[in-house]
Amino acid sequence: MEESQRQKKIASVLQRDLAEVLQHAATHGGMRGVLISVSKVKVTVDLSQAKIYVSVFPNNKGSEILDGIRSNRSFIRHELAQRTKHQLRRMPQLEFFIDDSLEYIDNIEQSLKGKEDPITNPDLLEKRKKS
């Protein structure tokens, strides 16, 4: 089922404000050099829950940051409610997930390149030619 205009609007408002809140908390929390972005927000039809997909760079800190976000969920929700109080009547419950799509794409690229790169080693072209 397709999202309604209201769901899309609320998702975009949450995405913008949540990215600011998370990045501000990370820089003031002593995590310099960590980039947190909100890649996608999905709001349920009844507007009571929001699934938030967070992308973290560098990738190895993703689970640590996600644990921190989940433990501070109530603070983040309160901060969002303060920012969106003129736009939203009720703040949805927030569920956070790691968005690993960039890592997935990188793994595909690495697999396609492989160790046997015919550009760097032209001898491999003979093996790949069809007879």
Side-chain angles (χ1 to χ4, degrees):
M1 188 168 170
E2 191 176 330
E3 286 183 315
S4 68
Q5 286 297 96
R6 181 77 176 143
Q7 284 175 287
K8 289 177 185 176
K9 183 177 181 184
I10 289 174
S12 68
V13 167
L14 289 176
Q15 184 174 5
R16 182 186 66 237
D17 289 339
L18 195 56
E20 292 174 8
V21 168
L22 291 178
Q23 192 61 43
H24 182 266
T27 54
H28 284 79
M31 299 200 86
R32 302 261 184 229
V34 174
L35 180 64
I36 301 173
S37 65
V38 179
S39 56
K40 185 185 265 189
V41 176
K42 291 246 182 203
V43 181
T44 58
V45 177
D46 62 353
L47 309 177
S48 65
Q49 292 185 349
K51 290 184 179 180
I52 298 142
Y53 295 90
V54 180
S55 180
V56 179
F57 182 80
N59 291 337
N60 59 357
K61 295 197 181 260
S63 61
E64 173 188 345
I65 289 180
L66 186 63
D67 291 340
I69 289 172
R70 286 180 176 161
S71 66
N72 294 318
R73 184 180 305 165
S74 60
F75 170 75
I76 293 169
R77 187 170 183 246
H78 175 72
E79 185 69 28
L80 270 178
Q82 293 300 314
R83 288 176 179 243
T84 60
K85 63 184 171 187
H86 298 296
Q87 297 164 330
L88 294 177
R89 194 174 303 155
R90 286 185 55 219
M91 178 58 59
Q93 293 294 323
L94 306 176
E95 296 179 51
F96 292 95
F97 301 96
I98 285 287
D99 180 21
D100 57 353
S101 59
L102 293 176
E103 187 177 341
Y104 180 72
I105 291 170
D106 189 45
N107 286 340
I108 291 174
E109 282 184 5
Q110 295 300 323
S111 295
L112 289 175
K113 287 180 182 176
K115 304 232 188 262
E116 296 180 351
D117 188 8
I119 294 174
T120 58
N121 188 359
D123 296 333
L124 295 173
L125 286 176
E126 293 299 323
K127 292 181 187 175
R128 293 186 175 200
K129 285 185 181 177
K130 293 181 181 178
S131 23

